[in-house]
Amino acid sequence: MSQVFSEETHRNLLSRIPHCTGREVADWLRTVEEGPSLFRFEEKVSWLRSEHNLAYGHAKAIIHEYDLRRAARKLL
């Protein structure tokens, strides 16, 4: 299975996360930043799912967004 969604699907998932989880995306990104130092994408997704009881799609979207933003910071 692909690690990333289409851009449209990714944005739609992100927009629904606050409604479905009660927490803003920025809060989830801080949670990932402060979480364990996992290297693999699927390990991070599994951690979010098990520790925070997130749906697979939401966890995957959060980790993808986290990775996108981290990569953007490295380019600056």
Side-chain angles (χ1 to χ4, degrees):
M1 179 179 290
S2 172
Q3 289 187 355
V4 294
F5 300 111
S6 71
E7 183 64 27
E8 180 182 2
T9 301
H10 178 66
R11 293 288 153 216
N12 287 337
L13 278 167
L14 285 180
S15 71
R16 293 200 36 81
I17 286 172
H19 172 73
C20 294
T21 67
R23 293 173 62 183
E24 295 296 321
V25 172
D27 188 30
W28 284 114
L29 297 175
R30 277 190 301 278
T31 298
V32 173
E33 182 73 28
E34 295 167 357
S37 296
L38 302 170
F39 294 105
R40 294 182 54 230
F41 184 89
E42 286 298 326
E43 289 176 325
K44 295 174 192 176
V45 171
S46 294
W47 172 76
L48 270 183
R49 292 185 71 209
S50 65
E51 288 294 315
H52 299 283
N53 200 31
L54 288 177
Y56 178 75
H58 291 143
K60 190 172 171 180
I62 290 166
I63 297 302
H64 181 58
E65 185 67 16
Y66 175 80
D67 288 347
L68 287 173
R69 291 184 186 196
R70 193 177 81 195
R73 284 193 311 253
K74 287 182 180 179
L75 293 176
L76 297 177

